Amino acid sequence: MKVVISVDMEGVCGVASWVQVSPPEFGGLVNGTEYQITRERMTREAAAAAEGAIMGGATEVLINDSHDTMRNLIPELLPQQVRFTSGNDKPLGMVQGVQEEGVGALLFVGYHARAGSPLGPLAHTWNGFIRNVRIGGIDTGEYGINALLAGHYEVPVVFACGDDVAMAEITAELGEGVVTVAVKEGLSSFSAVHLHPAEAQRRIREGAEHAVRAAKNAQPYTTRWPAPCQLAFDHQARADACARVPGITRVDAVTVGWSSENAFHLFQTFRMLATVAGSVRLNG
């Protein structure tokens, strides 16, 4: 069985600040030294999940870099038998690879809570200006969108690790069948109590092994299609721009809605609207 590992950075052990997860080439709130340390921890957690997946019976492992510019992984720290995907603007974004033949499980590493989650360290969805995503009446985050997109290809999510708030949200939405490992306990948006990185990696390796061994019994995540979808922003000007897109309706001052016939349409529409909203100049 082939498995895909989607690895983000905000949920990695030791992370509690945007400084730690911001690539330095864009300037602003960055620190190259802290970012480099976090790159290494992110890679080691991905490697631990890959090692566990292989111990659990995976015959092939594809690790998909899923944070920001999506070129954060340090390849030399990964197990030699894995493949990895890097670079942004991938057709399937954070779950690139689930469309490959023979993929039987998806693992989330370094995942964080959705936008607006109290006590969730660096809680957000996709970017800094999306306030909420609602699909089929359920408020969700990146984990839900990604799980639905993987489900479109009949691939179940079997494992997740990150902060405790995110793990509780994933369990509530995706079900208790998903093995979760909390590597830190959120205290606020910018603080957490962390495991030692080596202990976090040990628990990730153990959890991934258990999850992949049981993957044959897992079911892909889905909803009832067609599904009503809503996207809320931090400013009405973003909703103004998105409401001009054909097929998109205005729900309220900061929210737009549409209907998707499947998860692929949902993801493409969501990504397009995020791009439109992001192009808006709020200073006139």
Side-chain angles (χ1 to χ4, degrees), residues 42-153:
M42 172 189 183
T43 305
R44 292 191 185 280
E45 290 193 8
E51 291 163 356
I54 292 168
M55 290 188 293
T59 55
E60 294 184 48
V61 176
L62 174 63
I63 300 176
N64 184 40
D65 193 329
S66 300
H67 174 68
D68 205 294
T69 57
M70 299 188 175
R71 47 183 181 81
N72 310 279
L73 292 169
I74 303 171
E76 291 78 9
L77 298 181
L78 296 173
Q80 292 186 19
Q81 59 268 56
V82 309
R83 294 182 296 142
F84 70 97
T85 305
S86 65
N88 59 16
D89 201 28
K90 302 169 191 152
L92 299 184
M94 296 177 73
V95 296
Q96 185 66 36
V98 295
Q99 81 286 353
E100 293 188 6
E101 184 177 356
V103 175
L106 174 63
L107 288 70
F108 291 157
V109 171
Y111 268 55
H112 53 81
R114 67 176 181 259
S117 298
L119 307 184
L122 304 187
H124 69 284
T125 302
W126 201 260
N127 52 44
F129 56 77
I130 290 177
R131 179 181 293 175
N132 190 45
V133 180
R134 177 170 291 183
I135 304 168
I138 296 175
D139 295 337
T140 192
E142 294 170 17
Y143 52 82
I145 297 168
N146 292 335
L148 285 168
L149 186 54
H152 181 72
Y153 296 94

Side-chain angles (χ1 to χ4, degrees), residues 243-269:
R244 301 186 187 106
V245 176
I248 306 302
T249 60
R250 193 67 170 262
V251 176
D252 60 33
V254 295
T255 307
V256 296
W258 73 96
S259 178
S260 281
E261 63 266 23
N262 56 52
F264 183 77
H265 180 272
L266 159 70
F267 175 68
Q268 296 294 0
T269 304

